[in-house]
């Protein structure tokens, strides 16, 4: 997981929050839903990247255990 990915995901999440708030202020349910969807998508990407990182660490730990 790179810093660039983290920044992109956070930016997408903030964009979604902004859309949701603007939708709240303007009473635009479609924009609210779109904002919530953007946030969910960004959080899912982040979670997937965290799972990949955890799997990499486990793989390295197993490899290190067998190298001893």
């Amino acid at each position: 997981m790179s810093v660039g990915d983290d920044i992109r995901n956070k930016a997408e999440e903030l964009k979604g929050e902004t859309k949701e708030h603007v939708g709240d202020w303007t009473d635009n349910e479609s924009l609210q839903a779109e904002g919530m969807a953007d946030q969910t998508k960004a959080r899912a990407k982040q979670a997937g990247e965290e799972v990949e990182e955890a799997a990499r660490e486990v793989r390295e730990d197993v490899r290190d255990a067998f190298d001893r």
Side-chain angles (χ1 to χ4, degrees), residues 19-36:
K19 283 182 181 180
E20 182 180 3
H21 290 303
V22 170
D24 287 339
W25 297 330
T26 60
D27 225 10
N28 184 333
E29 291 179 4
S30 176
L31 192 56
Q32 287 172 320
E34 188 177 328
M36 287 188 271

Side-chain angles (χ1 to χ4, degrees), residues 55-68:
R56 255 187 244 102
E57 289 174 10
V58 167
R59 193 171 47 243
E60 289 173 11
D61 289 346
V62 169
R63 196 175 308 139
D64 289 345
F66 281 105
D67 286 341
R68 294 180 189 186

Side-chain angles (χ1 to χ4, degrees), residues 1 3 5 9 14 16 18 27 36-37 40 42 46-47 60 63 66:
M1 177 170 30
V3 174
D5 289 337
N9 291 336
L14 290 172
T18 301
D27 225 10
M36 287 188 271
T40 300
Q46 187 66 31
E60 289 173 11
R63 196 175 308 139
F66 281 105

